[in-house]
Amino acid sequence: MDLASPSTNPTYSSPVITTPTTPTTTTTTLATTTSPSSTPSRYENQKRRDWNTFCQYLRNHRPPLSLPMCSGAHVLEFLRYLDQFGKTKVHNQTCPFFGLPNPPAPCPCPLRQAWGSLDALIGRLRAAYEEHGGRPEGNPFGAKAVRIYLREVRDFQAKARGVSYEKKRKRPKPKVTATPQSAAAAEAAAAGSSAETTDHSTVLRPTSLDHVSSRVVKDFVE
């Protein structure tokens, strides 16, 4: 039969064997070189998760909101919504532990989102909004109302928890102490300068004496 004859059945092992190995090597090299750059950083991963959470909040909003309709007021609603997942104890003004950094006993004051977490969250969402095509001048995360809210949260939490958010002062630069070699060099330089002064005085002294003697002789002659 023709199907059983060797001439009509082509051998497929030869193309596989004669396939050049250069493309495979090139592909492996490219994959190896591009894999580190394609791995997102921890900041990028967190920013992506925050953006997905905010978009999910807009979809679950009643009524649902689209991104172009979002304003600074909606951002404030989102921040207040996140307070229920906070882990920072913020004392009320009527609490006996108000203003104490380390309360000695538990209290019924609510847990809130820490100011530092909210500030970092707004920074990531502000960058993600512009990366997704939003205009910088219309960025709701940079609205004035949002900045005022964050400032009020920072001030109130600082009073309630007894925590100061003032910037740390820069440490003074350490003074450079003179080494024995530098001290010896300084003494040698001082000695050289004094020697030069002495030489100049000895050179100038005869001239001054000659001037005085000539003046005396002139007066004596007159």
Side-chain angles (χ1 to χ4, degrees):
M1 295 177 63
D2 295 336
L3 294 177
S5 60
S7 59
T8 56
N9 293 332
T11 303
Y12 295 98
S13 58
S14 297
V16 176
I17 296 174
T18 56
T19 302
T21 59
T22 304
T24 304
T25 306
T26 305
T27 305
T28 305
T29 304
L30 292 176
T32 304
T33 55
T34 57
S35 57
S37 60
S38 61
T39 303
S41 62
R42 180 179 179 183
Y43 171 80
E44 293 296 332
N45 290 331
Q46 186 64 43
K47 181 172 61 175
R48 176 177 51 83
R49 288 193 296 266
D50 294 338
W51 181 252
N52 293 336
T53 302
F54 180 73
C55 293
Q56 183 67 29
Y57 172 79
L58 294 182
R59 288 191 293 267
N60 296 337
H61 193 274
R62 294 292 180 269
L65 292 173
S66 61
L67 191 59
M69 298 173 58
C70 181
S71 63
H74 299 113
V75 175
L76 296 181
E77 293 179 1
F78 175 67
L79 295 180
R80 296 188 182 98
Y81 160 78
L82 293 178
D83 272 337
Q84 60 182 318
F85 308 106
K87 299 180 181 180
T88 300
K89 177 76 70 173
V90 180
H91 303 286
N92 297 322
Q93 294 182 354
T94 57
C95 179
F97 303 141
F98 183 84
L100 297 180
N102 299 314
C107 63
C109 294
L111 298 176
R112 304 294 186 189
Q113 292 285 347
W115 165 78
S117 300
L118 294 179
D119 186 63
L121 171 67
I122 290 300
R124 292 189 296 266
L125 291 177
R126 185 173 182 176
Y129 178 84
E130 297 180 5
E131 290 176 0
H132 286 79
R135 295 179 301 173
E137 60 273 10
N139 195 327
F141 301 100
K144 183 178 180 180
V146 177
R147 296 197 301 268
I148 294 176
Y149 176 80
L150 291 177
R151 191 182 307 118
E152 292 177 350
V153 170
R154 181 195 63 183
D155 295 341
F156 182 78
Q157 290 190 5
K159 295 178 181 179
R161 302 171 55 205
V163 179
S164 177
Y165 291 107
E166 296 179 358
K167 294 182 178 180
K168 297 181 180 180
R169 297 181 179 179
K170 295 182 179 180
R171 296 181 179 179
K173 296 182 179 180
K175 296 182 180 180
V176 180
T177 57
T179 60
Q181 295 179 356
S182 60
E187 292 178 359
S193 61
S194 60
E196 292 178 359
T197 306
T198 305
D199 294 341
H200 286 299
S201 61
T202 55
V203 172
L204 293 176
R205 191 172 299 165
T207 305
S208 59
L209 292 176
D210 293 340
H211 176 70
V212 173
S213 59
S214 61
R215 186 175 179 180
V216 171
V217 171
K218 183 178 179 181
D219 294 340
F220 180 79
V221 172
E222 293 178 353

